[in-house]
Amino acid sequence: NAGLSNSLYNENDLKIKQLEQQQKMIKSAFQATFQVGYFNQSLDKVSNFQGIKGGLAIPLFFGGKRNELTTNRLQMEMVSAQQNNLKKQLNNELKLLEKNILMMQKGMDGKRIKTDENIKAVEQLQLKLNLGEMNVFDFIKLSAVIIDGSLSELEMLNNYNQNVIKYQFLTTNF
């Protein structure tokens, strides 16, 4: 979601710049243009006749260009509004990630993943099963509890890491 929002934000930024350039082009159609040139030709009795020509173009009808300018301005406003909404969304996402990371850090303070202890506990259960001190059903129940605890610890660590990665992505790319 962060990557998508970020790419949409960058895409809208480029769209705004493109619309600004298009607006400049439309506005240039309102201005008069002046042309100057020279020519080299031969007349009936005069060779290498040279001359200068000039022209002035003044736009007389502005209606179509005004409509284009208005349409372009409305498109710029729409894209700017989308840009502001995406910016707010990314800021909210960043704040939410900060809160989640702090909450997870508090929950994990002083705790470490006990993989070695869990492996030893499963090995002890296996030994008790082999010695006949425990039946198969108890072994399955107790080992499932140990494995579920390990999986939940790893899942919590994974969620924390994913939040940190997303936070770093948003702070470096936004």
Side-chain angles (χ1 to χ4, degrees):
N1 190 16
L4 178 65
S5 300
N6 193 23
S7 64
L8 285 174
Y9 183 83
N10 291 335
E11 185 179 317
N12 278 349
D13 199 31
L14 291 174
K15 181 78 172 171
I16 288 173
K17 290 176 183 174
Q18 179 185 8
L19 288 171
E20 287 172 351
Q21 293 301 318
Q22 187 176 355
Q23 186 172 17
K24 288 178 184 178
M25 286 182 56
I26 294 170
K27 283 184 177 180
S28 71
F30 287 108
Q31 299 172 353
T33 57
F34 184 67
Q35 301 166 347
V36 177
Y38 87 98
F39 56 91
N40 216 358
Q41 75 183 46
S42 62
L43 295 173
D44 287 339
K45 297 180 183 174
V46 180
S47 63
N48 294 333
F49 177 77
Q50 296 180 356
I52 298 174
K53 67 178 176 180
L56 179 64
I58 301 173
L60 298 176
F61 301 103
F62 295 112
K65 294 296 177 186
R66 280 194 189 130
N67 290 339
E68 282 183 44
L69 198 59
T70 303
T71 302
N72 191 15
R73 183 180 47 81
L74 291 174
Q75 285 178 342
M76 280 181 57
E77 288 175 3
M78 181 182 70
V79 172
S80 294
Q82 287 176 347
Q83 188 76 337
N84 289 337
N85 288 339
L86 281 172
K87 193 172 189 176
K88 289 176 185 175
Q89 178 185 349
L90 289 171
N91 280 330
N92 289 339
E93 195 170 344
L94 193 62
K95 289 177 185 176
L96 181 66
L97 284 171
E98 287 174 350
K99 288 179 184 177
N100 285 344
I101 289 171
L102 286 175
M103 182 179 68
M104 289 178 172
Q105 281 176 342
K106 287 179 184 176
M108 292 175 25
D109 263 355
K111 292 183 182 177
R112 62 176 184 80
I113 296 180
K114 307 169 191 168
T115 53
D116 293 337
E117 294 171 12
N118 291 340
I119 291 172
K120 285 179 184 176
V122 171
E123 287 174 350
Q124 287 175 353
L125 288 176
Q126 180 71 37
L127 184 64
K128 285 184 180 185
L129 178 68
N130 292 341
L131 294 175
E133 296 177 6
M134 161 184 301
N135 63 24
V136 175
F137 296 114
D138 290 338
F139 171 77
I140 292 173
K141 277 198 258 181
L142 292 174
S143 60
V145 168
I146 294 170
I147 291 170
D148 287 343
S150 295
L151 286 176
S152 66
E153 287 176 349
L154 290 173
E155 187 176 327
M156 185 173 67
L157 183 62
N158 182 41
N159 289 337
Y160 174 76
N161 288 337
Q162 291 297 321
N163 282 326
V164 169
I165 289 169
K166 196 183 288 187
Y167 179 81
Q168 287 177 340
F169 176 79
L170 285 177
T171 54
T172 56
N173 295 324
F174 175 59

